[in-house]
Amino acid sequence: MKTTCQVAVIGGGVVGCSVLYHLTKLGWSDVMLLERSELTSGSTWHAAGGFHTLNGDTNMAALQGYTIRLYKELEEITGMSCGLHHVGGITLADNQDRFDMLLAERAKHRFMGLETEIVGPDEIKKIAPITNTDGIIGALYDPLDGHLDPSGTTHAYAKAARMGGATIETHCMVRETNQRPDGTWDVVTDKGTIHAEHIVNAGGLWAREVGAMAGIYFPLHPMEHQYLVTDTIPEIEAIIDAGGEHPHVMDPAGESYLRQEGRGLCIGFYEQPCKPWAVDGTPWEFGHELLPDDFDKITDSIEFAYRRFPVLAEAGVKSVIHGPFTFAPDGNPLVGPVPGVRNYWSACGVMAGFSQGGGVGLTLAQWMIEGEPERDVFAMDVARFGDWITPGYTRPKVIENYQKRFSVSYPNEELPAARPNRTTPMYDIFSDLGAVWGQQYGLEVANYFAQDGEPGYETPSFRRSDAFEATGREVRAVRERVGINEVHNFGKYLVTGPRARDWLDRIMAGRIPAPGRLSLTPMLSPKGKLIGDFTVSCLGEEEFQLTASYGAQSFHMRWFQQHQQDGVTVENISDKRNGFQVAGPKAHEVLAACTRANVSDMRFMDVRRMVVGMTDCIVQRVSYTGDLGFEIYCDPMAQRQLWWTLWQAGQPHGITPFGMRAMMSLRLDKFFGSWMREFSPDYTAAETGLDRFISFSKNVDFIGRAVAEAERAEGTARKFVAFEVEAEDADVNAYEPIWHDGAVVGFCTSGGYSHFAQKSVAMGFLPKGLAADGLAVEIEILGQMRKARVLTSPLFDPDGARMRG
């Protein structure tokens, strides 16, 4: 056995073999895979082997499309069969909400180039003749759906990797992973110790245990999952005899998926009375075993399936496959460099291995070899969860995700499991004021405030929800008087030390401000992609506060740590510094009434320390509402006292609490982008307009400068623009296609209703040559073409007089 390698991949399932293959494909051949038993000895061998492109995240859908297209390439490379059956598939909708979801997904597919289509009941009967379409409104048909041979596909990945120079050691049990001072790893196995520069945890069912060897907790949990294979069914025999094969059918109402298997059918369930497995750890000796049959938990699902697919009622059961699969709290994989641990990579939590495994392998190989993946993969980035997450949180969220696997996924849905978990000192005060709560990164965030007679729960919908009136009320309060909300949903970082300014100049593309001032700046990757949208506040020559998206804390801290240098200390103070923003035409009067400090001479983008009421605060003159406003930061221990000070001072001015729904409406008035919508690693600063904050005059080779300079000289192919939309009861959410002259020319990044302007507003990308004021386009919203026109002047305070004055 080799004793040194560049990369040691732990785990020989489909994901581990895909990672190994893609590393060789991209040029690293000194790589090896370690498997405690035989290849596929985990979830892989008993998987149903289905694959599909449908995914609510467009980048995940694109990676699933890559995975499916890869299988023919693997067969050509290796001469091995993956057992491919490209039979197509339909996803049924039995109510308007499910149908709305399919319409929204079909719209996304238009600009992604995926050839899916909406079909009605008559077409469904032709495509999937065993389906009872009673009560069915329609379905989404995807010709790429299909299934394969799990074992054959995994071994094809393995052979392709070996052909590229990789080594595979089976029956090689990893006992320990110990990091050396230089960041490399000693991987201790029962066959000896391997010195590896990098470790990839592709441990599948054992990923938790493998992670624990390095002191890492991965938020994963196995769930029991059961599917049945029937005896011969005459109707399926007839299709085969006619030279055909029955397609996949996903029936969300019945929590089931179905496909042809031989001359019968295979049907699996995501049942509500589901069961977590191996709560306290996966036994090392588990491998090719199955779990005992458990028909009791799927009785209701089977009865529903008999009604939807009547042929099942007459079919005998040939075999039952009941085994565990591993899930993360949101159902997506955990991929990428583990924050805070050098040279340790995650490729686990991939429950849909034959839909996602190829994309996961490609992404991780790009990340390791090229420094970053080609597309935004935050939806599966291991850094999307913070160090606050625990097994006690993970388990109920995994159960919830399993139960909702086939449920409608709404854009405004707030899932209830494991909540409330993390709260600020304002939780009970805001609850008493009628707060309707959402969550971000485990933290409770007020979405809006319901008044007497209004529901205390926002009903999920693809259309305007029952939060509409409350949101409008809060928006008007800000624009006409003064509003107050928390700043807890900002990630906050304290950067100190004698080299702090030099370090920030290199990390950030924008100007680093002088003491007492703040600046807005993008943070770029080496390839010029946006990886941060920051406010930098200079509190002193060696002290800076950074603010950005709260949900990107682990993502941003990982980047800071990867670029750390002597003379600089970076601390995540997101939960150690909290406070409020006050915004609106009366904001100045409210703050002035609370402090003896002179705030009348505070300019836009000033930052000062001052005592507000009894509380030491950092106050900065800026507001994401686009209005006159102040952000006021304090120690959370003093936050309640600060609240009462501001609240009482605001009473003569009609101060009103407002939540995130109002914030997202207010920002539309100024065409302000939002992190992970308009600003993400899918885009460059020049494409989004953030290049106006890049300091090309500073004599620093900041990260991403070469690409930014090139785009400055050459321009970009697309441009970020805003639209007024002639919508009815549904506004743009994200990724709706934009049509011009009968063709899809762009896509939306986000949108909503401007309660100030009383207009539906969308934002998105158009080819630069089309992005002219007043251009007439159509935006497809839930299957309907809605007229829209390009806007170039903000709807509120277009010259910035109120915001800056």
Side-chain angles (χ1 to χ4, degrees):
M1 184 179 73
K2 289 176 61 175
T3 58
T4 63
C5 64
Q6 190 171 9
V7 183
V9 179
I10 302 173
V14 65
V15 175
C17 290
S18 172
V19 170
L20 196 72
Y21 162 66
H22 281 92
L23 287 170
T24 65
K25 183 178 182 180
L26 270 61
W28 282 9
S29 59
D30 184 19
V31 295
M32 66 187 302
L33 183 146
L34 308 174
E35 164 55 45
R36 51 178 274 284
S37 182
E38 298 285 352
L39 297 183
T40 78
S41 298
S43 298
T44 297
W45 78 270
H46 62 72
F51 54 77
H52 57 87
T53 59
L54 185 64
N55 191 293
D57 183 275
T58 55
N59 282 320
M60 290 293 294
L63 287 170
Q64 289 176 198
Y66 166 82
T67 301
I68 294 167
R69 291 188 295 271
L70 177 65
Y71 293 133
K72 288 185 179 178
E73 178 184 323
L74 277 177
E75 289 184 329
E76 292 169 359
I77 291 170
T78 64
M80 297 177 66
S81 172
C82 293
L84 290 175
H85 294 256
H86 276 288
V87 296
I90 58 172
T91 301
L92 304 174
D94 66 335
N95 61 43
Q96 189 59 50
D97 279 359
R98 293 191 198 280
F99 195 58
D100 281 349
M101 183 178 77
L102 298 183
L103 290 171
E105 290 305 308
R106 171 66 185 102
K108 294 177 187 179
H109 295 165
R110 288 191 193 276
F111 84 84
M112 294 173 64
L114 295 175
E115 298 299 323
T116 59
E117 60 181 299
I118 296 293
V119 295
D122 291 343
E123 292 168 288
I124 293 169
K125 288 294 292 183
K126 294 175 183 177
I127 296 168
I130 66 168
T131 306
N132 175 8
T133 57
D134 290 349
I136 296 297
I137 297 174
L140 181 72
Y141 174 69
D142 186 346
L144 281 181
D145 278 11
H147 57 277
L148 45 65
D149 169 23
S151 178
T153 300
T154 304
H155 283 278
Y157 273 124
K159 182 176 179 180
R162 286 190 180 104
M163 292 170 68
T167 302
I168 295 177
E169 288 287 341
T170 57
H171 299 282
C172 184
M173 174 87 172
V174 174
R175 303 288 191 186
E176 300 175 20
T177 58
N178 302 314
Q179 192 165 38
R180 295 185 180 185
D182 65 357
T184 62
W185 292 85
D186 286 326
V187 182
V188 182
T189 78
D190 56 2
K191 289 185 175 181
T193 298
I194 301 152
H195 179 216
E197 183 179 351
H198 301 272
I199 285 180
V200 176
N201 182 347
L205 289 172
W206 296 269
R208 294 175 297 172
E209 287 70 31
V210 172
M213 295 177 187
I216 302 167
Y217 170 64
F218 285 95
L220 301 167
H221 204 289
M223 295 292 293
E224 297 182 4
H225 182 67
Q226 196 163 209
Y227 66 89
L228 316 177
V229 178
T230 74
D231 289 325
T232 296
I233 294 175
E235 290 83 354
I236 298 300
E237 276 195 309
I239 293 172
I240 295 171
D241 292 342
E245 184 171 358
H246 198 280
H248 287 214
V249 183
M250 285 196 287
D251 181 20
E255 301 160 344
S256 71
Y257 59 89
L258 173 146
R259 68 168 175 83
Q260 181 178 319
E261 175 67 21
R263 293 181 174 269
L265 290 169
C266 165
I267 183 167
F269 306 99
Y270 284 91
E271 68 284 354
Q272 293 301 301
C274 58
K275 294 181 180 179
W277 181 76
V279 172
D280 296 315
T282 302
W284 285 111
E285 63 275 11
F286 186 82
H288 280 279
E289 301 87 351
L290 288 173
L291 306 177
D293 297 347
D294 188 352
F295 289 103
D296 289 344
K297 68 176 181 176
I298 59 172
T299 297
D300 292 343
S301 299
I302 291 174
E303 290 177 358
F304 194 103
Y306 284 176
R307 294 193 296 273
R308 181 71 73 215
F309 310 107
V311 297
L312 290 171
E314 305 300 322
V317 174
K318 181 165 66 175
S319 60
V320 179
I321 310 298
H322 190 201
F325 288 86
T326 302
F327 294 75
D330 58 4
N332 279 344
L334 298 176
V335 180
V338 174
V341 187
R342 288 175 62 191
N343 297 344
Y344 196 109
W345 304 78
S346 176
C348 50
V350 191
M351 61 76 49
F354 294 98
S355 292
Q356 299 173 342
V360 167
L362 174 68
T363 296
L364 196 66
Q366 289 175 337
W367 218 328
M368 296 179 75
I369 296 171
E370 300 171 7
E372 58 186 286
E374 65 180 300
R375 63 178 72 244
D376 170 23
V377 292
F378 189 76
M380 64 177 182
D381 191 336
V382 66
R384 71 186 184 276
F385 298 109
D387 56 11
W388 49 269
I389 200 165
T390 65
Y393 176 90
T394 297
R395 188 165 58 257
K397 294 304 287 186
V398 165
I399 292 170
E400 177 185 64
N401 178 267
Y402 185 99
Q403 291 172 327
K404 295 184 71 64
R405 184 75 183 165
F406 281 159
S407 297
V408 179
S409 180
Y410 298 95
N412 67 329
E413 188 170 23
E414 298 288 352
L415 300 177
R419 293 180 54 202
N421 180 29
R422 305 174 72 237
T423 62
T424 76
M426 291 302 298
Y427 184 76
D428 60 332
I429 294 176
F430 279 175
S431 293
D432 289 344
L433 289 171
V436 178
W437 294 98
Q439 70 85 33
Q440 184 183 20
Y441 203 63
L443 179 69
E444 295 296 311
V445 177
N447 280 339
Y448 64 96
F449 293 82
Q451 292 185 350
D452 291 344
E454 293 177 338
Y457 171 78
E458 181 180 10
T459 304
S461 176
F462 286 91
R463 302 170 191 273
R464 291 174 187 164
S465 76
D466 43 17
F468 188 80
E469 293 301 325
T471 301
R473 181 172 62 242
E474 293 170 21
V475 166
R476 290 187 291 274
V478 172
R479 290 288 185 245
E480 297 169 7
R481 302 184 304 277
V482 61
I484 183 169
N485 77 345
E486 278 192 281
V487 291
H488 61 326
N489 56 334
F490 290 155
K492 310 168 196 81
Y493 312 91
L494 187 63
V495 181
T496 57
R499 301 287 303 280
R501 179 176 291 276
D502 293 342
W503 183 79
L504 285 169
D505 252 330
R506 183 172 63 87
I507 292 291
M508 302 294 176
R511 178 182 56 82
I512 306 305
R517 295 287 287 168
L518 59 89
S519 66
L520 307 179
T521 173
M523 186 167 71
L524 307 179
S525 76
K527 294 182 180 179
K529 298 301 181 89
L530 288 170
I531 55 172
D533 166 33
F534 281 83
T535 299
V536 179
S537 305
C538 184
L539 307 177
E541 272 299 343
E542 298 184 4
E543 183 182 4
F544 297 83
Q545 175 179 282
L546 315 182
T547 54
S549 169
Y550 187 85
Q553 288 174 56
S554 192
F555 175 83
H556 285 146
M557 280 301 296
R558 179 177 64 196
W559 186 256
F560 295 154
Q561 290 164 351
Q562 287 171 347
H563 294 84
Q564 215 161 5
Q565 68 181 50
D566 292 339
V568 182
T569 300
V570 183
E571 181 186 359
N572 183 355
I573 58 168
S574 298
D575 298 319
K576 297 179 181 178
R577 192 168 285 177
N578 207 341
F580 305 95
Q581 73 162 316
V582 289
K586 299 298 182 180
H588 181 273
E589 284 92 328
V590 171
L591 180 59
C594 300
T595 180
R596 298 187 63 83
N598 182 13
V599 296
S600 62
D601 64 347
M602 277 194 78
R603 299 169 296 164
F604 181 62
M605 308 287 268
D606 272 356
V607 57
R608 296 180 186 174
R609 283 189 164 94
M610 65 178 69
V611 176
V612 180
M614 295 188 292
T615 308
D616 284 322
C617 296
I618 295 169
V619 179
Q620 47 194 43
R621 171 84 187 277
V622 70
S623 174
Y624 189 54
T625 65
D627 214 314
L628 168 65
F630 300 87
E631 293 174 355
I632 307 167
Y633 298 89
C634 69
D635 183 332
M637 292 293 287
Q639 188 181 1
R640 291 165 70 95
Q641 188 280 327
L642 177 61
W643 160 261
W644 291 117
T645 297
L646 294 167
W647 184 245
Q648 290 164 9
Q651 292 308 303
H653 306 290
I655 195 168
T656 300
F658 67 101
M660 286 304 298
R661 296 283 186 263
M663 180 77 86
M664 290 295 103
S665 176
L666 289 160
R667 61 111 185 178
L668 293 175
D669 300 339
K670 299 284 283 186
F671 309 155
F672 287 169
S674 176
W675 181 246
M676 296 311 294
R677 292 296 189 93
E678 287 69 41
F679 309 140
S680 86
D682 274 335
Y683 315 126
T684 66
E687 289 175 327
T688 61
L690 283 184
D691 57 333
R692 68 188 185 277
F693 298 118
I694 293 179
S695 178
F696 291 105
S697 62
K698 67 180 184 181
N699 188 26
V700 178
D701 186 21
F702 57 81
I703 297 172
R705 178 162 192 154
V707 177
E709 293 272 16
E711 285 196 327
R712 186 187 189 198
E714 300 166 11
T716 60
R718 60 187 178 185
K719 184 179 180 181
F720 169 65
V721 290
F723 305 87
E724 176 184 347
V725 187
E726 295 182 16
E728 290 188 1
D729 64 340
D731 303 297
V732 158
N733 177 48
Y735 300 113
E736 292 84 352
I738 302 168
W739 295 76
H740 181 65
D741 287 344
V744 175
V745 295
F747 63 95
C748 296
T749 51
S750 71
Y753 189 77
S754 165
H755 289 270
F756 166 76
Q758 298 184 17
K759 298 177 188 292
S760 182
V761 177
M763 295 189 285
F765 288 100
L766 282 179
K768 192 171 184 180
L770 287 178
D773 187 40
L775 175 77
V777 298
E778 290 182 304
I779 298 177
E780 184 179 352
I781 303 176
L782 300 181
Q784 300 293 316
M785 293 297 188
R786 298 297 181 187
K787 292 181 180 180
R789 66 181 183 91
V790 172
L791 301 174
T792 55
S793 180
L795 300 171
F796 169 76
D797 194 27
D799 60 358
R802 192 150 105 183
M803 181 175 69
R804 299 171 183 274

